[in-house]
Amino acid sequence: MALRNILKTGEPRLRKTSRRVTEFNDRLHQLLDDMKETLLDAGGVGLAGPQVGVLRDVILVMDTNREDLTEEEQIIELINPQIVEKAGEQTGPEGCLSVPGEYGIVTRPETVTVKAQDRYGREFTVSGYGLTARCFCHEIDHLSGILFTDLAERMMTPEELASGEE
Ligand code: ZN
């Protein structure tokens, strides 16, 4: 495994549309292992292929609702993910490893269900609520070149960030 460089906002690859994964081979597994290590090292809750310069439909999302699991065990690998159901609404702060130090107020569904494939190409469906639902939406947006800053109703001020106010 190896750490990959996380691209920062302004990098054109973050604005491109990713392509579907069709080969579930060693190269994909290497990418997933590297992304997992990179995510844990960066202390984030999700990571998408384009953020490490790979324009493929690959995301990692940490199911932070599963407090019984270790951080590494919380990581869900989703290949070719698609939101198939969403319900409710939540409005709150959101950030991104590619937009360091900035947070914005973004409205997302409260719960989402995602259909995806695992690293071997097997289809599965997974649901999440709260932060996990927010993260599914955020990471899937990356695959279309969308950043949370495009959706934020406003960015948080340095004063708000300093006071920890949401
Ligand atoms: Zn992000």
Side-chain angles (χ1 to χ4, degrees):
M1 295 209 290
L3 287 179
R4 303 236 180 167
N5 185 36
I6 298 178
L7 303 181
K8 301 300 187 301
T9 180
E11 157 66 51
R13 277 173 289 179
L14 286 173
R15 292 309 197 168
K16 298 249 160 68
T17 301
S18 294
R19 288 177 298 148
R20 283 179 67 81
V21 171
T22 52
E23 306 221 18
F24 297 81
N25 53 19
D26 286 350
R27 197 154 167 225
L28 174 70
H29 297 176
Q30 183 68 56
L31 170 67
L32 288 164
D33 291 344
D34 288 354
M35 283 177 66
K36 192 177 280 191
E37 192 180 348
T38 305
L39 174 60
L40 290 169
D41 179 72
V45 289
L47 191 66
Q51 291 183 278
V52 294
V54 178
L55 294 174
R56 289 290 184 170
D57 290 349
V58 171
I59 64 169
L60 300 182
V61 168
M62 279 177 71
D63 189 354
T64 48
N65 299 319
R66 289 291 307 274
E67 287 173 9
D68 53 317
L69 301 178
T70 66
E71 284 194 334
E72 187 170 354
E73 289 167 343
Q74 286 178 344
I75 296 177
I76 307 169
E77 300 174 347
L78 302 107
I79 320 298
N80 301 325
Q82 277 185 304
I83 294 176
V84 291
E85 226 178 282
K86 43 188 166 184
E89 203 176 273
Q90 57 174 320
T91 299
E94 192 167 313
C96 177
L97 292 174
S98 294
V99 191
E102 295 192 50
Y103 293 85
I105 303 299
V106 183
T107 299
R108 300 283 194 185
E110 175 57 27
T111 63
V112 298
T113 302
V114 179
K115 195 175 127 186
Q117 286 164 281
D118 70 10
R119 60 164 63 201
Y120 304 104
R122 296 177 299 214
E123 283 192 4
F124 68 98
T125 349
V126 60
S127 297
Y129 64 91
L131 178 60
T132 305
R134 179 178 290 283
C135 197
F136 280 136
C137 298
H138 176 115
E139 301 310 330
I140 289 172
D141 276 352
H142 271 298
L143 304 179
S144 305
I146 298 167
L147 299 178
F148 81 95
T149 47
D150 304 337
L151 309 172
E153 60 193 54
R154 66 180 183 84
M155 296 302 288
M156 293 171 71
T157 64
E159 290 76 23
E160 282 176 315
L161 293 174
S163 70
E165 189 188 318
E166 293 179 354

